[in-house]
Amino acid sequence: MVFPCCKALIGSSCGNISGRSLNYMKLPEELQFIENARQPQKTTQVHMDGKLCVLTGATSGVGYQAARRLAKGGASLVLVCRNPYKAAQVQSELQQAYGNQVDVVQADFSCLDEVRSAAASLLASYAHIDVLINNAGLHNTHRTLTKEGFETVFCVNHLASFLLTRLLLDRMVASAPSRILQINSQGHRFCGLDLSDLNWQRRRYHGLQGYGASKVAQLLTVWELAERLQGTGVTINAMHPGEVRTNIGMNNGPVYRFYQHYLISWILKNPVISGEAIYYLAAAPEMAGVSGRFFNQTIDEKPAMHALDRELGKRVWMISEQATGLA
């Protein structure tokens, strides 16, 4: 793919290289995500009237914008959120603005027992689930453990969404055609996944690598589940929601918040674009049979090589089943 700015960057020092050849210089495959972020994004105006969407982490940022776009598109919503007061505010706002059915289920994804309770509540209340969007996420700069003994970011970002998806899977198969969407991140490129040390007991914890480990694990199980769901009418994909302003990481103290607010946020985009991209992946007719893919917003993209290791993925699947009590 063409990377035109290379001409401006190096043209003056490469006088023997024609301008035309520089115009056709390609980015290395591992950097293609930079070019993809600049591509025009796809949209759809298809309505989702009569569709029930379960969305986790919907009170701010990407999840909030996704909830607004889904409600605008006519979908009924179930918001699975940690903070019941913020969830009630979003629920009221969406009901008043769009008149949709918007329900709330409370669950803290750092506690797998609460994920099981949320799944039980969803199964008891809804005979049909058309779309599941696992958006709830966390970034910590310091290692912490959940009360169940898991490294917190790995639990919230991977184990909780893995468990919720598995517990709802039979209902989604019965509801087919249905779609599962994992809100992942380019942060998977930071890697950090070490199956012999998932709790970072032997390594010094680095926030970006801890975040990356959770996102790599999530991607690896997407490929596994996509394969297992072939022929069921249920699709599963992952997506990076774009470089947008969110509240993720704001739990890391005043220095982090200052850095994020004054030095980073001004270069980030409005998360409205994330909501639009999620809506496209959830609603667009042309996405009906697409499964086991990673999208940079709406652009089909190849993830980092370490996130495509299927043998590693089978081990992550087995470990995730054991950790969540599914095995």
Side-chain angles (χ1 to χ4, degrees):
M1 190 167 290
V2 179
F3 188 44
C5 67
C6 284
K7 180 178 180 180
L9 290 173
I10 62 176
S12 61
S13 61
C14 299
N16 60 335
I17 301 176
S18 73
R20 183 174 180 178
S21 65
L22 285 170
N23 275 337
Y24 284 88
M25 183 175 291
K26 295 177 65 175
L27 278 174
E29 188 174 70
E30 58 269 23
L31 295 179
Q32 192 59 50
F33 67 94
I34 298 172
E35 179 69 14
N36 287 343
R38 301 171 179 170
Q39 299 297 319
Q41 297 297 324
K42 301 168 186 172
T43 61
T44 183
Q45 299 305 315
V46 170
H47 276 257
M48 296 186 72
D49 299 325
K51 301 290 187 182
L52 181 74
C53 300
V54 175
L55 171 62
T56 72
T59 57
S60 68
V62 169
Y64 170 73
Q65 294 298 337
R68 285 189 60 86
R69 184 63 184 90
L70 289 163
K72 181 181 177 182
S76 298
L77 297 178
V78 184
L79 311 179
V80 183
C81 300
R82 178 174 58 87
N83 187 318
Y85 304 105
K86 290 183 178 179
Q89 291 178 336
V90 175
Q91 178 188 36
S92 176
E93 175 190 330
L94 296 182
Q95 287 175 331
Q96 291 182 28
Y98 303 107
N100 305 46
Q101 174 191 346
V102 181
D103 299 331
V104 173
V105 172
Q106 196 273 329
D108 183 341
F109 274 25
S110 67
C111 176
L112 295 183
D113 279 343
E114 293 198 20
V115 176
R116 293 186 189 94
S117 295
S121 177
L122 290 164
L123 292 173
S125 302
Y126 307 98
H128 201 87
I129 299 175
D130 297 286
V131 179
L132 169 63
I133 302 171
N134 286 303
N135 170 73
L138 178 70
H139 167 54
N140 280 346
T141 56
H142 297 87
R143 173 181 179 265
T144 62
L145 297 179
T146 69
K147 65 181 182 181
E148 293 157 319
F150 302 109
E151 192 276 312
T152 307
V153 172
F154 192 77
C155 180
V156 172
N157 293 359
H158 170 57
L159 292 179
S161 64
F162 179 83
L163 178 59
L164 182 65
T165 301
R166 289 290 305 279
L167 293 175
L168 299 182
L169 203 54
D170 287 346
R171 183 62 48 85
M172 300 206 66
V173 170
S175 306
S178 55
R179 306 183 189 186
I180 302 167
L181 185 59
Q182 305 284 43
I183 308 305
N184 200 265
S185 170
Q186 298 292 8
H188 79 271
R189 299 180 190 278
F190 296 125
C191 195
L193 184 65
D194 181 346
L195 298 190
S196 68
D197 189 26
L198 289 175
N199 277 347
W200 297 79
Q201 293 172 303
R202 299 198 313 271
R203 298 173 290 165
R204 181 177 178 182
Y205 188 80
H206 297 283
L208 292 179
Q209 285 192 308
Y211 185 78
S214 68
K215 294 301 184 181
V216 171
Q218 186 182 58
L219 281 182
L220 289 169
T221 54
V222 166
W223 323 141
E224 293 301 312
L225 188 52
E227 191 170 278
R228 293 165 190 246
L229 287 171
Q230 285 181 3
T232 66
V234 182
T235 63
I236 179 168
N237 292 293
M239 67 95 74
H240 167 65
E243 290 73 35
V244 297
R245 291 185 292 276
T246 74
N247 288 329
I248 194 164
M250 293 302 189
N251 53 295
N252 290 305
V255 174
Y256 186 98
R257 287 195 291 273
F258 178 89
Y259 172 79
Q260 190 75 7
H261 183 74
Y262 291 103
L263 302 180
I264 297 297
S265 65
W266 66 276
I267 63 173
L268 300 176
K269 300 174 184 174
N270 191 318
V272 167
I273 65 171
S274 309
E276 196 65 48
I278 290 170
Y279 188 79
Y280 172 83
L281 297 175
E286 58 267 33
M287 288 296 301
V290 178
S291 191
R293 308 298 301 175
F294 175 74
F295 293 88
N296 188 339
Q297 297 181 64
T298 62
I299 306 297
D300 196 344
E301 182 173 283
K302 185 177 182 179
M305 286 302 296
H306 57 253
L308 294 170
D309 185 335
R310 295 300 305 274
E311 288 305 312
L312 179 63
K314 295 183 190 311
R315 294 171 60 199
V316 171
W317 181 275
M318 181 179 66
I319 289 172
S320 301
E321 282 194 324
Q322 292 171 344
T324 55
L326 293 169

